Amino acid sequence: MTRVLIIMFSLISFFTMSAQTIQFENKQFEISNVKSSVADLKGEKVLKIERDLNKIPFDVNHLENTVDEPTFVKLSNENIENGIIEVKVLSQIQNPSPFEFAQGFIGLAFNINDKNTAFEAIYLRPKAGRSELQFHRNHSVQYYAYPDFKFEKLRKEEFKGQYETYADVGLDEWITFRLELKKEKIFLYINDQKFPSFIVNERKGKMKSGSIGLWVDIGTIGYFKDLKITKY
């Protein structure tokens, strides 16, 4: 009887651990506050990620507290300080969406610590990228540093708009998203551009190095493929 119980406990532990990780493109990812699966999209295998509202509830009346959270799959056994992270991303908006103003939030988290309590991220708002209003277009790209410098705080006048910008991106299309981490600065290149779309000159993160996460937020169905990492 004891032996049977040990075997059952081992099986339960195995499936619990398996449910917390996912394999894709010969890489293992730890799942953090998202639902993730390997899916078929237009005839190819991709990694599908959606925010798990059971893990972190969303409150439209308290955006600052319930968005820009650790909602990603994190690359296991990885640490990078300086180098290039490149991935192809495609986002769609959930239908129905839990957030009326969902923009297809999708991007990369980096310098993630072991407990996911500190990291930096740059993400896109693809719907804003094709808006007919320039004000919305100016918010197509966003940087933030968790937990102290989320988008709402960085949008205040004192930061002079330096943590957001425009990029030519749209929903339901593959976007090559490449970050260059270079000492104190970050450079974002979109779709194989020669020059960066966005530069972070003054980083707000607590970590000097850390892991990498494929990130989404509220109302988004995110797809990822072709993750490449080059360290300096």
Side-chain angles (χ1 to χ4, degrees):
M1 185 67 173
T2 302
R3 184 177 181 183
V4 171
L5 289 174
I6 291 172
I7 293 172
M8 288 178 65
F9 179 78
S10 298
L11 288 172
I12 291 170
S13 298
F14 171 79
F15 286 116
T16 300
M17 289 179 64
S18 297
Q20 296 173 348
T21 63
I22 189 167
Q23 299 277 342
F24 181 67
E25 295 182 339
N26 298 316
K27 298 178 177 68
Q28 178 172 287
F29 297 88
E30 301 164 17
I31 298 171
S32 173
N33 304 312
V34 296
K35 298 176 181 178
S36 184
S37 62
V38 178
D40 185 272
L41 181 67
K42 300 176 183 178
E44 62 179 332
K45 296 297 182 183
V46 297
L47 190 58
K48 179 182 179 182
I49 305 174
E50 298 175 84
R51 175 170 163 169
D52 189 341
L53 293 178
N54 292 319
K55 297 291 182 63
I56 302 182
F58 171 70
D59 186 348
V60 68
N61 296 312
H62 297 89
L63 285 179
E64 176 72 9
N65 297 324
T66 59
V67 299
D68 291 356
E69 291 287 317
T71 48
F72 47 64
V73 295
K74 181 172 74 171
L75 192 57
S76 302
N77 304 314
E78 185 61 74
N79 191 84
I80 183 172
E81 181 174 358
N82 294 304
I84 295 172
I85 310 166
E86 181 178 306
V87 67
K88 289 183 173 62
V89 304
L90 181 151
S91 70
Q92 301 168 342
I93 295 177
Q94 294 171 339
N95 186 19
S97 171
F99 181 38
E100 179 184 359
F101 303 107
Q103 301 292 315
F105 312 104
I106 191 167
L108 285 171
F110 47 95
N111 283 1
I112 309 170
N113 69 0
D114 291 341
K115 296 183 179 180
N116 300 342
T117 56
F119 61 89
E120 295 172 85
I122 293 180
Y123 63 88
L124 304 176
R125 299 184 179 98
K127 186 177 179 181
R130 297 288 163 78
S131 172
E132 293 184 357
L133 298 177
Q134 187 59 45
F135 177 80
H136 292 160
R137 286 188 172 219
N138 292 342
H139 301 301
S140 304
V141 179
Q142 178 74 56
Y143 165 88
Y144 78 96
Y146 185 83
D148 297 323
F149 293 90
K150 294 185 176 184
F151 90 93
E152 198 164 49
K153 184 171 183 177
L154 293 173
R155 194 170 280 182
K156 292 180 178 178
E157 186 176 343
E158 62 186 289
F159 295 107
K160 301 177 182 178
Q162 63 180 311
Y163 293 105
E164 293 180 85
T165 195
Y166 165 73
D168 182 16
V169 294
L171 292 168
D172 205 24
E173 63 185 34
W174 283 111
I175 301 163
T176 301
F177 188 98
R178 179 163 62 95
L179 293 182
E180 182 178 5
L181 311 179
K182 196 171 183 180
K183 296 183 180 179
E184 299 302 317
K185 296 186 178 183
I186 308 169
F187 303 86
L188 168 66
Y189 297 83
I190 297 290
N191 291 335
D192 303 315
Q193 292 172 313
K194 183 177 180 180
F195 301 102
S197 289
F198 182 50
I199 301 173
V200 178
N201 291 295
E202 184 181 344
R203 297 169 65 168
K204 297 294 185 180
K206 295 181 177 180
M207 306 295 295
K208 293 292 185 182
S209 65
S211 192
I212 296 161
L214 309 180
W215 181 98
V216 298
D217 210 335
I218 191 71
T220 301
I221 306 171
Y223 299 97
F224 298 80
K225 65 178 182 178
D226 299 341
L227 175 63
K228 301 173 185 176
I229 301 163
T230 304
K231 297 181 182 181
Y232 294 155

